[in-house]
Amino acid sequence: MTPVPTSTYRIQLRPDFPFTAAAAAVPYLAALGVSHLHLSPVLEAVPGSTHGYDVVDHSAVRAELGGEQGLRELAATARAHGLGLILDIVPNHMAVPARVRLNRPLWEVLREGPESPYARWFDVDWAAGATAPGTHGRMLLPVLGGRLGEELEHLGPDPARGVLRYHDHEFPLRPGTERLPLLELLDAQWYRLCWWRLARTELNYRRFFTVSTLIGVRVEDPAVFDATHAKVLELLHDGVVSGLRIDHPDGLADPGGYLRRLDAAAGGRWTVVEKILTDDERLPADWPVAGTTGYDGLRRIDGLFVDPAGAEELTGVYRDLTAQPADLGGEWSATVRRAAREVVDRELASEVAALGRIAERVCRADPSLRDHPPWALRTAVRELLLGVPVYRPYTVAGEPPGQGDTRMLTTAALHARRAFTVPEEAETVDLVRELALGRAGATAAHEEFRARFAQTCSALHAKAVEDTAFYRYAPLLSAGEVGGAPADAAVPPSAFHEFCARRQRDWPDTGTVLSTHDTKRSGDSRARLALLSEAPGEWAELLARLTAETAAADGTRAPDGHLAWVAWQSAAGLDPRCGERLADAVLKAVREAGLRTSWTEEDGAYEKAVAAFVGAGPAGPPAARLDRFFDSLAEPLRANILGAALLHLTMPGVPDLYQGTERPYTALVDPDNRRPPEPPPNGRRRLTELASGEPPTGLAEEKLHLTAAALRLRREHPEWFGAAGRYEPLAARGTAAEHCVAFARADRVVTAVTRLSRRLAAAGGWRDTELPLPPGRWRNLLHGPAVERTGPTPLTELFAGLPVALLVRG
């Protein structure tokens, strides 16, 4: 494997922040101490895209960002300052753009059908909708604003250009059909234009989660892999790019096989995968990667700053004030179960139906299986999907399933059998389990079921948990983060140390994050919200006053208690508060929750009431009381923000800083967190002044100084933090020992932070608590003189200036 970054800095590229803007930031970022820029996707995307994950052309660097010349110039600028580039790539899907011609492979498939040489690129069930056995159906394109009969007047062919137009959409016409009457022309195409609502039940191509405008790509096919990765590999081999981040590997048919092929082609470049690990799930040990992008570390850092007793009390307050039913936000496990069933029956109904059709083909081809009826196969598929507790199994074609996957699907099958009243009919569950494990046969249909079942599992888990349950179960919003466990948000120091020791042993070069383009709230927003677990009673009293003041102003009341709770906590996480940003985030939250309105079944009256409440309360004058509440928590907030930052930068793994987070940064869910960054004024000069000993002024400079000190230390001494280093927990001793988290790296660096500082202050502070430092002369890089001790160090001394310390020996 090639050299490992000491740290990365994520930049969200977009048309209004192209390669030239990133290049302008390079001198400052080099002074900050990062070793690599981490770029969002750079291949050609849908015009105007603000994220780049909607790729349309794998062979070209995006012109709106500056094209390949602009990327190479950025790389040269970075190299001149000692920095490399890490590239985010999207192997799982491509866009279905309005002008489909932008996606040439898809255009050719729509024009030529299943005989197109590009048909192998996409998972399309051409048999779905076929009029006779052995014939081909058509690819469903759910793009019409209404039913076909209502939209005919907006449809028209352009024979001279060989296209079919619908508003700003353009589709290719099958050769020879250009001059047919409109209805005959529509029926003669290899695709079927239909009402967008039919995607839920009729779609016959694999997509990204439930996004029909993103079509799945079959990178398991060697030819497709080569075509979609040629440009990225060229950039790697030319030295333009040093490493990779892999987006959503769980969507792939064979993630392990893909990663092995990529590793061989890329020459062992440092690579991390956006793999979400649930609870104690482990990353597959045989994946040739450095590790994950870091959500597993995020959960452990956040959890240290959540008071378990306070979180329990806060949950009680939440239930009293919102009165949510157990399965609609009142209880976590019940909420997840209901959300999963809703997603299986609604949003992923077409995917479940596709699995049922594949299982039917298997049974038709085997006389011994023909009496498994379609209804039983569909029921077994649905119930088995619901029983998978993690994102997916990792079965591989032609190989026996792993013990973990076997146990998991066997347990899921036991629960799935309960959906049948006749034991003999429940045997269909066993067949479906064997199909999912890849043990029922080796035909193309068997392999298709195995792969598609695993892919559907990942979509189900993401939509049910991340995109639904996290928004319904809301006692502490900061706990509802990717990879999180909202019902068990608190992480004791012992569990944190155990996690770090395992990570240092197994995945020392994995990624770590606090904020990303996908976090629902930035790290500092979550640090603010974590304080509510230390003040549940005060939060309850504050909400009562805020509710009264909002209603007193003009009679505006929240449409329901759940909305009020979510809106006020969202406001609490945003500083400075922007009414438009807050309103957009709350609207997204209520649509994702799907309790009263949703993206596909909007309740206009309810959403109007939500907007009125947010404008009158959380984004209005009563919010001044919320500001005063957090003003009173300034010191605990300082401890949370600085503590989380220092843990992130010095724990095992490669820290990835999201743009702007070297200073206090609060942001809500996308697109709020994808705004162009605002570089600090006089950033390089101020970094130089802080490094020379000028004391930081205020929290913003304290965080900047801490970040630069840790990043520079990592860059100067990578051996202390990488695979060759060591991780050793340091246990404080004394009355307040539980409030200190400390560890040593390679016997040369000590990190110490304060946790639950509000409760600490209420109990009388550090008093007799001490931290035994390893023998030697230790210098605090953040403040203060050298400390030489061979025995315990009082924490009142160690934390005299700041609630955190970064010590270096010698």
Side-chain angles (χ1 to χ4, degrees):
M1 188 173 287
T2 53
V4 175
T6 62
S7 62
T8 61
Y9 189 96
R10 170 75 176 206
I11 293 179
Q12 285 295 113
L13 298 162
R14 42 193 286 164
D16 55 355
F17 197 88
F19 296 135
T20 53
V26 164
Y28 161 71
L29 296 176
L32 185 64
V34 301
S35 72
H36 289 70
L37 305 186
H38 170 194
L39 304 181
S40 58
V42 303
L43 298 183
E44 199 63 74
V46 171
S49 173
T50 58
H51 51 80
Y53 289 94
D54 43 3
V55 177
V56 296
D57 185 357
H58 292 90
S59 67
V61 176
R62 191 174 175 189
E64 288 179 306
L65 301 181
E68 185 167 340
Q69 182 62 30
L71 175 61
R72 289 179 178 268
E73 290 174 358
L74 169 59
T77 301
R79 216 165 26 244
H81 287 79
L83 307 185
L85 301 184
I86 303 298
L87 191 59
D88 191 347
I89 65 171
V90 190
N92 177 67
H93 52 266
M94 295 181 73
V96 182
R99 287 180 291 149
V100 183
R101 192 187 301 272
L102 293 170
N103 184 337
R104 181 170 174 261
L106 180 59
W107 179 272
E108 295 300 326
V109 171
L110 295 179
R111 190 167 70 92
E112 300 178 12
E115 301 306 317
S116 166
Y118 289 100
R120 66 196 301 174
W121 278 52
F122 308 107
D123 278 320
V124 181
D125 184 359
W126 292 102
T131 56
T135 63
H136 292 301
R138 296 189 290 162
M139 183 174 169
L140 196 81
L141 291 181
V143 299
L144 302 182
R147 292 184 174 87
L148 177 62
E150 301 166 356
E151 301 296 321
L152 283 174
E153 62 180 303
H154 304 299
L155 285 160
D158 182 343
R161 295 184 60 233
V163 300
L164 174 65
R165 288 203 177 103
Y166 173 70
H167 297 301
D168 58 342
H169 292 264
E170 284 189 356
F171 308 96
L173 290 174
R174 188 174 178 178
T177 67
E178 297 88 348
R179 301 192 180 278
L180 292 173
L182 180 58
L183 290 177
E184 291 183 30
L185 180 147
L186 292 175
D187 287 341
Q189 304 311 313
W190 284 112
Y191 53 88
R192 172 192 166 199
L193 302 184
C194 68
W195 189 21
W196 64 271
R197 286 189 176 276
L198 295 187
R200 175 181 290 174
T201 55
E202 309 300 319
L203 198 71
N204 62 340
Y205 62 82
R206 183 173 67 85
R207 53 187 169 169
F208 172 70
F209 294 162
T210 59
V211 184
S212 300
T213 54
L214 296 174
I215 184 170
V217 177
R218 300 184 66 251
V219 291
E220 66 269 22
D221 185 305
V224 178
F225 175 91
D226 291 343
T228 55
H229 288 69
K231 178 56 64 177
V232 168
L233 293 172
E234 176 190 333
L235 295 170
L236 279 168
H237 295 315
D238 286 354
V240 177
V241 175
S242 305
L244 300 172
R245 173 200 185 268
I246 310 302
D247 181 70
H248 187 47
D250 276 345
L252 306 178
D254 179 10
Y258 165 79
L259 293 169
R260 284 186 285 275
R261 182 178 288 118
L262 178 64
D263 183 62
R269 299 306 205 282
W270 182 81
T271 299
V272 290
V273 290
E274 188 201 24
K275 166 59 189 165
I276 313 304
L277 298 171
T278 302
D279 295 326
D280 292 326
E281 182 186 8
R282 305 293 174 86
L283 189 67
D286 61 344
W287 284 8
V289 296
T292 73
T293 54
Y295 287 113
D296 46 339
L298 178 154
R299 174 191 169 190
R300 272 72 180 192
I301 296 172
D302 278 3
L304 284 173
F305 299 95
V306 174
D307 182 344
E312 185 176 350
E313 184 179 343
L314 190 69
T315 300
V317 174
Y318 159 79
R319 288 171 178 156
D320 289 342
L321 292 183
T322 65
Q324 289 298 107
D327 60 351
L328 290 174
E331 299 284 349
W332 171 244
S333 57
T335 297
V336 171
R337 286 194 298 271
R338 174 160 179 166
R341 191 163 291 278
E342 288 177 4
V343 171
V344 158
D345 290 341
R346 294 165 61 84
E347 286 86 351
L348 291 178
S350 63
E351 282 76 8
V352 175
L355 285 168
R357 290 194 297 270
I358 301 169
E360 287 179 47
R361 291 205 300 271
V362 169
C363 291
R364 283 198 301 269
D366 185 342
S368 68
L369 300 177
R370 286 177 187 168
D371 284 347
H372 287 283
W375 74 264
L377 291 167
R378 290 193 299 270
T379 300
V381 165
R382 182 175 64 248
E383 297 300 321
L384 197 64
L385 284 168
L386 290 169
V388 176
V390 296
Y391 272 73
R392 59 169 284 169
Y394 291 102
T395 53
V396 178
E399 297 182 12
Q403 293 182 355
D405 285 338
T406 301
R407 285 194 301 269
M408 177 177 69
L409 287 174
T410 298
T411 301
L414 291 175
H415 293 284
R417 292 175 70 95
R418 297 172 185 171
F420 294 82
T421 55
V422 178
E424 290 80 4
E425 291 178 337
E427 292 172 2
T428 301
V429 172
D430 300 330
L431 168 62
V432 172
R433 179 198 63 215
E434 293 302 290
L435 287 170
L437 286 170
R439 298 191 302 201
T443 69
H446 285 87
E447 166 54 17
E448 185 180 7
F449 186 95
R450 181 202 61 77
R452 292 293 289 272
F453 181 88
Q455 291 170 311
T456 304
C457 281
S458 70
L460 170 59
H461 197 92
K463 294 303 298 180
V465 178
E466 293 176 27
D467 293 346
T468 305
F470 277 176
Y471 288 97
R472 290 181 177 179
Y473 183 82
L476 185 63
L477 290 185
S478 60
E481 198 50 81
V482 179
D488 191 21
V491 173
S494 59
F496 175 81
H497 289 310
E498 180 183 353
F499 169 79
C500 287
R502 185 172 68 244
R503 170 183 273 220
Q504 177 65 30
R505 182 191 68 228
D506 298 338
W507 302 98
D509 299 326
T510 187
T512 64
V513 293
L514 275 181
S515 301
T516 75
H517 63 289
D518 272 339
T519 45
K520 293 177 169 55
R521 293 154 199 91
S522 66
D524 290 346
S525 291
R526 299 194 309 277
R528 289 172 63 86
L529 292 173
L531 289 175
L532 302 184
S533 71
E534 296 187 70
E538 293 94 323
W539 176 249
E541 293 175 5
L542 178 64
L543 274 188
R545 292 175 183 168
L546 291 170
T547 299
E549 289 182 14
T550 303
D554 61 2
T556 302
R557 297 184 181 277
D560 58 78
H562 186 269
L563 179 276
W565 183 275
V566 168
W568 279 113
Q569 274 206 29
S570 297
L574 196 59
D575 178 43
R577 195 170 303 105
C578 170
E580 182 179 356
R581 290 167 58 197
L582 181 60
D584 289 346
V586 172
L587 177 60
K588 181 169 184 174
V590 297
R591 286 180 174 173
E592 294 281 20
L595 296 172
R596 298 279 297 274
T597 188
S598 72
W599 296 105
T600 56
E601 283 88 28
E602 296 178 16
D603 184 328
Y606 179 76
E607 292 187 1
K608 184 176 180 180
V610 169
F613 172 73
V614 172
R625 185 179 291 277
L626 183 64
D627 293 333
R628 292 193 294 273
F629 173 74
F630 275 95
D631 287 344
S632 71
L633 298 175
E635 281 305 307
L637 178 60
R638 179 184 182 222
N640 279 14
I641 288 177
L642 297 180
L646 187 56
L647 292 173
H648 171 222
L649 297 172
T650 58
M651 68 188 288
V654 177
D656 180 44
L657 273 79
Y658 191 63
Q659 57 189 24
T661 58
E662 66 272 20
R663 297 166 72 90
Y665 172 84
T666 59
L668 302 179
V669 70
D670 67 278
D672 184 57
N673 59 10
R674 299 180 183 181
R675 293 169 288 119
E678 298 179 7
N682 304 314
R684 287 182 72 192
R685 178 171 62 82
R686 192 57 184 145
L687 283 170
T688 300
E689 293 169 348
L690 292 171
S692 65
E694 186 170 324
T697 303
L699 178 60
E701 289 198 345
E702 289 173 347
K703 189 179 183 189
L704 179 64
H705 179 45
L706 178 155
T707 301
L711 292 180
R712 289 169 176 173
L713 186 64
R714 295 186 67 103
R715 190 168 64 186
E716 293 164 6
H717 298 283
E719 72 279 6
W720 295 352
F721 296 92
R726 293 188 302 280
Y727 178 89
E728 180 185 357
L730 298 178
R733 297 198 297 250
T735 308
E738 66 171 329
H739 292 278
C740 176
V741 175
F743 52 81
R745 303 301 312 273
D747 294 327
R748 300 302 301 268
V749 180
V750 166
T751 287
V753 308
T754 305
R755 65 183 290 263
L756 308 183
S757 59
R758 189 168 190 265
R759 206 179 81 191
L760 169 67
W766 292 113
R767 292 173 287 168
D768 63 340
T769 312
E770 300 172 323
L771 181 66
L773 292 176
R777 183 176 177 83
W778 296 91
R779 179 168 60 93
N780 192 339
L781 295 186
L782 305 184
H783 67 88
V787 178
E788 185 170 359
R789 288 185 178 274
T790 57
T793 299
L795 290 181
T796 52
E797 175 184 326
L798 189 63
F799 294 140
L802 287 174
V804 299
L806 177 60
L807 309 177
V808 177
R809 191 175 71 176

